[in-house]
Amino acid sequence: EVQLVESGGGLVQAGESLRLSCAASGFLFDEIAIGWFRQAPGKEREGVSCIGAKDGSTYYANHAKARFTASRDSAKNTVYLEMNSLKPEDTAVYYCATLYGPYCLDYGSPEEVEYWGKGTLVTVSS
């Protein structure tokens, strides 16, 4: 059974940083790309970042470029999303998800997701 458990969400002020974690199990971690998505109330779920398998290549949505950094630790089967310079518009539930293979491809689309985590809430105050 594939399991993805996000953690690290919380309340921060604008301009501060937060690191999210996604603990993964039930699949070959080093062969599957992991995406980060977020969903704010009343909005569509959107892509934030993606990190490929093996080489750890990363991709970011425009809103995340230069502010967010994805990484993965094979020893811990864990993916991270470091978020810097947070803005109130970053407030959302953040989800990690497995894609269908080692490549990110169209990482911004939730339709590329095979399995979802339950999400962790990030709230950024102004």
Side-chain angles (χ1 to χ4, degrees), residues 72-84:
R72 59 196 296 163
D73 186 337
S74 295
K76 296 182 178 180
N77 278 18
T78 299
V79 174
Y80 304 95
L81 182 67
E82 183 176 341
M83 304 183 293
N84 300 314

Side-chain angles (χ1 to χ4, degrees), residues 85-101:
S85 301
L86 284 164
K87 306 173 182 179
E89 52 262 45
D90 294 320
T91 296
V93 176
Y94 283 72
Y95 302 87
C96 64
T98 61
L99 304 188
Y100 285 97

